[in-house]
Amino acid sequence: MGIHLLPTEVVDQIAAGEVVERPAHLVKELVENSLDAGADHITLEYSEGGRYVKVVDNGSGIDPADLPKALQRFATSKIEKAADLWRLNSFGFRGEALASIASVSRLTLTSRRPGADTGSRLIADFGKMGPIENVGGSFGTTLVVEDLFSNVPARLKFLKTAAAEGTQIKTVMKALALAYPQVDFKVLCDGQLIFQWLQASSHLQRAQDVLEVEKLYLGESTRQDIRVQAVFADPNTTAKTSKNIWLFAQNRWIQDRSLQVAVQEAYRQLLMHGEFPIAAVWVQMDPENIDVNIHPTKSQVKFVQPGDVFRAVQSAVRGTLEKAPWVQSLAEQHFHSGIDTNPTGNPPSTSFIAKSPEPANFQFQDQNLDRVQFPKKEMLNLETLKKYAPAKIRPAASFASVSDVDSQLSSPPAEFSTMKEEAPAKDLISDVKEAPRKFWSQLDVLGQAHSTYILAQSEKSLFFIDQHAAHERINYEQIMSAWKQGNGPRQDYLFPLVIDLSEEKVQALQIHFSELHRLGIELEVLGPGSVGVKSAAPALKESAIAQVIEKVAFELCQHGDSFQFEKWVGDLCATLACHSSIRAGQALSLPEMKSLLIEMDAFPLSTFCPHGRPVFVEYPFYRLEKDFGRIV
Ligand code: ADP
Ligand code: MG
């Protein structure tokens, strides 16, 4: 066979293999065309797992004379010259999608420009275009695709079940809805309405509708020309895969491993192994700094400054996570609602309150409290209890004052001494004063269960606090902040510990000596292939030091940049924190427990241990009331 140009139909089918590999891709192309046409009402109907698709929009429509061009390859109304590729403000620009789809389906394109007397229609039967007909119909464009891939049996074979293809279509629609909050979307599957997302005023509101997570939080950041908005769930609300991290660049849904990691990194030490964040992130930047033309389905992009984008995303999420807004809402729920109404501990739901037969029965009375508060006589003594546990739950108004918390701290009783070593009370006071909200320190400590869990109560709930997890979290934050301030605790060695490493590793370490020093590990170069440890954090066992240094050196050689270093520091702090924390099974005195709770308030993220396990479990009293049949 001599060399010859391929016929158009073959070229289109080849392109179709790339652009519309699956029905979900087709849906994406069609809906993106509607968005490019400025539509703000878009309805998608599909059946047979997307082999039948209908998209109706109220966008700008197509002139009758242009209808055939719309179905031609490389015909587009969106760009003219190569330079336009760097100033894109539309999804489409290649003019390939409709031509590709038309070559593998029976496609009906109906369109009416706003204000036009009539609409017009063009049918293409597996690539063969019919005549342009005049029709009525509403303003905008309707595209129907039928019998997808009927002429390409090989491709048909690769389609999964209708349900599986449907799942992909739903995912695509969710992504598009997240990208365009201002657009009304309706999705029907086999004639049934499955999604309806009404116009939303913000990303946050749209994300709440689409992700179906009740409470989401917003974080924002800017770095040079990069602007990031991130909406995400608290670390209690997680997913089992990374699929719930939705990423958008210039309103395009993208797959980007690095930004996905940026979101996960922001949750560092807040999630357990196997838990993934639920988050949507929108990144906007000058169009010159992003290339969207690197992938057939345009699902991947290239950033000119990937490092900056990474950091901007990470800090948008982390910035809000660090304020632990979910703890605040927990506090509001517990204390603020207590001021006005509802002293019963019932949940705010009116139906519950209405059903409660005798709400007055469940008020706190001193006697009630006393009965619960002395489960273990030998451990609790009345004097300390009176001093540390307020006899009654305080009304919300008094929580603004931290004076009694402070006075407890400034004259710590003898029992505090063990904890004081690790957490100097003075530092703590200043932190406590700065902390925006008191929650844990306001709880009444009831006792210790199983020598592992601190039992405490608020007006509305009983709390079990894992003493090891709680203390670990506090230590972690203290070590991290010591590192940030450059004064980690150190223990000097009489003779430096010699560690042999490759020259490359020694050099990599050397660059970071000062940072390691701030963490409490002081190194010196002893030769081209060895370092000496002059001092280390007291919590770090001597036997573990060589391993730790080896690991840091390895990481630094592998990745080199300071981000990896920060990540590693986080891990190291978690290890140090774990080794210096109260163990499970260790009996604690009431003041010790109380002081632990006070410390918990000093750090914003203290509701999860550094390994992401929860620090506490809450039992609302209404649940007890229910269990005891006091309410139905
Ligand atoms: P591209 O989107 O890359 O331009 P397509 O093949 O998807 O290529 O579409 C070709 C052209 O058809 C578009 O440039 C646009 O002018 C027109 N078009 C397609 N869908 C619509 C629509 N829903 N509303 C208005 N015009 C449309
Ligand atoms: Mg297009």
Side-chain angles (χ1 to χ4, degrees), residues 142-153:
T142 298
L143 238 142
V144 180
V145 174
E146 292 163 283
D147 300 331
L148 181 70
F149 297 144
S150 285
N151 62 335
V152 206

Side-chain angles (χ1 to χ4, degrees), residues 572-621:
L572 179 64
C573 288
T575 313
L576 294 178
C578 181
H579 285 292
S580 52
S581 298
I582 303 169
R583 304 268 125 205
Q586 187 174 331
L588 296 181
S589 69
L590 198 60
E592 280 174 332
M593 291 189 268
K594 187 75 190 166
S595 101
L596 194 63
L597 297 195
I598 291 168
E599 287 187 72
M600 279 172 76
D601 272 340
F603 297 103
L605 294 176
S606 54
T607 48
F608 292 84
C609 85
H611 303 110
R613 285 200 313 273
V615 163
F616 72 95
V617 170
E618 178 183 359
Y619 287 98
F621 286 122

Side-chain angles (χ1 to χ4, degrees), residues 29-30 33-34 36-37 57 59-62 69-72 75-78 91-99 109 111 141 143 298:
E29 291 293 337
L30 297 186
N33 277 346
S34 299
D36 281 344
D57 72 45
S60 59
I62 306 170
K69 275 191 238 160
L71 302 191
Q72 267 165 31
T76 180
S77 58
K78 299 169 195 176
F91 282 112
F93 54 83
R94 294 192 189 137
E96 275 188 312
L98 292 191
L109 172 59
S111 199
T141 302
L143 238 142
K298 301 168 215 147

